[in-house]
Amino acid sequence: MRLMRNRGYFAAFIVSLAASFGVQACSSSPQGTAPSSDGLTGKLILTGSSTVAPLVGEIAKRFEAEHPSVRIDVQTGGSSRGLADAKQRLADIGMISRALKPEETDDFQGFVIAQDGIGVIINKANSVGAISDRQLVDIYTNQIQNWREVGGEDAPITVVNKAEGRSTLELFLSYFQLQNSQIQADVIIGDNQQGIKTVAGNANAIGYVSIGAAEYDIGQGAPIHLLPVGGVEATVETVQDGSFPLARPLTLVTANPPSGLTQEFIQFAQSEDVHDIIKAQNFVPVQRKELAQTLR
Amino acid sequence: MVWSLQAIAAIAGALVLLIAAFLIGETLPVLQKVGFLPFFTDPAWNPTEALYNLAPMLWGTLFAAAGSVLLATPLGILSAMFCQYYAPAGIALLYRRLIELLAGIPSVVYGFWGLVTLVPLIGRLHPPGPSLLAGMLILTMMILPTVALTADASFAKVPPAYLQGAASLGLSRWGTIWGVVIPAAKSGLLTGVILETGRALGETMAILMVCGNVVQTPQSIFDPIRTLTANIALEMAYALGDHRSALFVSGLILMGLVTALVIVADAIAPEENHG
């Protein structure tokens, strides 16, 4: 049963179709990661967030290309699984799409590899240009039910929320200080793509997705646009300079201070060698000095 | 020779039992902790706060399946009837090919089409769009080939002597179909209905994409719903501990539904399994 779960067999067909690409499933247990004299050998297993997995999958491919006798398996299953697997040593490294919580820093070491912002999206046909945090909370808790009340047309608002357990949802709830049970959603979605398609197809919908994914789809012609949050424009640039408030670090976690192959891989994932991969995936590379802080 | 057949049959039979045992094993932790009743009496489905009411999703599953079966069954049987007894040979052949094609489209493609075309259409009619109605319509399209093809096959199996007998009695074409063909093909038609119902209950991907996935008992066909299958698919990747066990309870209930369906089918058509 443990073996079945380890394979992420459900994760494979879940909505995160895109996330599944480049992600390999494997059921072996982690092995020794000591570097040999003529370079790195061994095997790494990473599990966790479906937001982080495609990025780490690409980074792992490049790492394998540079170190041919290293094999890296990346599996999805959500941030909670990343933490659980790292703790139980089922994975060498866990992937989470948030920062470590204060109570988790005793058990885990965290290494930020990139930033991701969460942007509020509405349909392009919607004339509303900006809404305050207060109004957004009222919309999500059904205090405001019509776009007219926030300066739009006379149309009922379709509230798009995320399914339980997703870290996007957690970050959204904690920033707006909401409980999930307070939210009165009209549609509940799984991944970013479903969210973007839902808002693109409904002129009165409002939702929230990864800014990287939204910018990419807007570039591809999706009829949506990003609203500012807390008065700050939602762009990759504001996420990068730290001014955008609704942002999250994509983090690698280990249960012990990393050594050997694990350490090599984490350093590689934080190096400038992978900034092009991070940008290609619509995430935001982290500045050197911020890294120093997270490493302490 | 006989023993190898016995072994193969035993393996096939054991598969179902193994899956059932696995499901029950996975659900035990949460069933021992909270019992079975809270899955129907809790105030909400909020597994991270230890609230596990599955009833709205059970209703969602049942409504979506029932609606689609009600739509697809007459559509499938009547079109098969047209194809067998009214259509010229060329059109009948074309019709069969098209229906087979419909059966071959992967469910995720139906879902995607539903999400970008059907849901916005319903949204213009009655917001928000993702709804029980969208689920019913998508399911109807997906199960139509099942019922149409089985109906077509069972009409084709009606012995020609019956039709000749009816003709010699001077029955009209409709009289022949209503009085002779349908009674003769009854068990085949029923099999088709049961197969389509099973498929409607179990469909996941397309339903997940068009139904809105809000956990509530629908008050109208324009309300969003979440089905038991969508619940598993949406949350399984992110579930741990009791939450995960509770999702297996969804699966167990679903399996119970299908088992009940098979039992009902056996009760209604006993001759079908013995002849």
Side-chain angles (χ1 to χ4, degrees), chain A residues 100-165:
Chain A
L100 280 174
K101 292 173 187 163
E103 68 267 25
E104 290 166 344
T105 48
D106 292 340
D107 292 334
F108 297 102
Q109 311 256 330
F111 306 92
V112 175
I113 57 171
Q115 291 272 346
D116 182 26
I118 295 174
V120 176
I121 53 170
I122 58 174
N123 193 284
K124 211 172 185 173
N126 194 326
S127 58
V128 173
I131 52 176
S132 68
D133 285 5
R134 183 71 239 160
Q135 285 171 324
L136 193 80
V137 168
D138 285 349
I139 287 173
Y140 267 82
T141 52
N142 239 7
Q143 310 289 313
I144 296 178
Q145 301 187 356
N146 196 303
W147 282 112
R148 197 181 41 203
E149 295 172 60
V150 291
E153 285 160 35
D154 181 11
I157 302 176
T158 301
V159 173
V160 182
N161 195 25
K162 279 253 179 180
E164 191 131 1

Side-chain angles (χ1 to χ4, degrees), chain A residues 2 26-27 43 67 79 89 92 95 127 135 166 176 199 229 235 244 248 272 277:
Chain A
R2 165 58 58 205
C26 179
S27 57
K43 182 169 173 178
H67 307 282
S79 296
R89 307 288 194 279
D92 299 290
M95 303 174 284
S127 58
Q135 285 171 324
R166 314 258 160 171
F176 290 106
V199 175
V229 173
T235 63
F244 188 73
R248 56 182 176 175
E272 288 185 9
I277 300 179

Side-chain angles (χ1 to χ4, degrees), chain B residues 28 77 103 157 213 264:
Chain B
L28 273 184
I77 291 179
K157 269 195 308 199
N213 303 314
V264 169

